[in-house]
Amino acid sequence: MARPANHLRDGAVAALRTLTAQHGAKEGAKLAREQFPDVPAGTWGRWRQMAVGNVAGADAHALNSLAAEVRRNIPTPEQLTADPVPATRRALDFWAMLDELEHDARLMRDFALAHGADGTVKVRVPFALRDAHRMRCDLIRLALAQAEAAWSVERAQSFFDAVVQAVGEESPECQRRIMQRLHRVQGEAAARGF
């Protein structure tokens, strides 16, 4: 005979869904758990899986979404040297943020290691050292992605310049019309703020 369903399950699942939508996967699950402290850990894990899936997977998805958003908001070198437009003013200070994160990863690494009087280095907190290494790997990936984006912009600019120059050699009037249209499009984008 099957065991009857726990009468708290529906309320817990609803609380998990609501709180994770409001506070994020990790914090929402923690807040929901505080509302149902008497539910056994195994049961709570099944309910959490039923409600929101794997919390670690949700956090990883959120991190990937954030990384994509950061990449979209990194200004091109031309935007940094040109007159400021609304999109540039809103852009993140990517390099300063990267330096802060690198400093944080170093602090975590220093915390994880113990330096003996004889010069030996021992791991004091293995999980902190592992997290520091992961942070640094993520920073390297992010910096490489930014460098790749900058290289792509540079290539696109050189291609654009070559095309405009070739058109100008054949028809200066056509080149003038193309440049006017491109300036008009750029002005419309600046007016929209991106």
Side-chain angles (χ1 to χ4, degrees):
M1 181 167 157
R3 189 171 53 189
N6 191 319
H7 66 282
L8 298 174
R9 182 181 69 189
D10 293 336
V13 169
L16 277 162
R17 288 181 179 153
T18 302
L19 291 171
T20 55
Q22 292 173 353
H23 301 283
K26 214 170 195 175
E27 186 64 25
K30 180 181 167 189
L31 292 171
R33 180 66 171 143
E34 290 171 0
Q35 292 180 11
F36 298 90
D38 297 332
V39 175
T43 303
W44 182 258
R46 285 190 302 278
W47 291 356
R48 186 189 69 221
Q49 186 73 23
M50 182 188 318
V52 295
N54 187 353
V55 173
D59 284 348
H61 176 69
L63 181 62
N64 290 337
S65 298
L66 178 63
E69 182 179 341
V70 168
R71 270 191 231 106
R72 284 193 303 270
N73 287 315
I74 295 173
T76 63
E78 289 77 20
Q79 288 174 319
L80 293 173
T81 57
D83 291 332
V85 295
T88 305
R89 286 194 298 269
R90 279 195 334 250
L92 300 170
D93 187 354
F94 176 76
W95 295 111
M97 291 175 71
L98 196 68
D99 288 341
E100 289 173 8
L101 291 170
E102 173 64 21
H103 179 71
D104 293 346
R106 283 188 192 154
L107 285 174
M108 185 179 281
R109 184 178 190 278
D110 291 343
F111 172 76
L113 299 175
H115 299 276
D118 60 351
T120 60
V121 178
K122 295 181 182 180
V123 177
R124 182 175 61 169
V125 185
F127 294 114
L129 184 62
R130 180 199 62 199
D131 290 345
H133 286 294
R134 286 181 180 168
M135 286 174 65
R136 293 179 75 153
C137 289
D138 290 342
L139 292 173
I140 290 169
R141 277 190 214 101
L142 190 58
L144 288 173
Q146 194 280 336
E148 181 182 348
W151 182 75
S152 295
V153 167
E154 193 175 305
R155 274 191 70 192
Q157 184 64 44
S158 63
F159 176 76
F160 170 80
D161 292 343
V163 169
V164 170
Q165 182 181 358
V167 169
E169 290 170 1
E170 291 299 317
S171 171
E173 176 59 27
C174 180
Q175 181 186 35
R176 186 186 59 75
R177 286 195 317 265
I178 290 171
M179 294 304 293
Q180 285 175 342
R181 175 68 180 139
L182 289 174
H183 286 297
R184 192 168 45 247
V185 168
Q186 186 178 11
E188 292 168 0
R192 287 192 304 267
F194 55 87

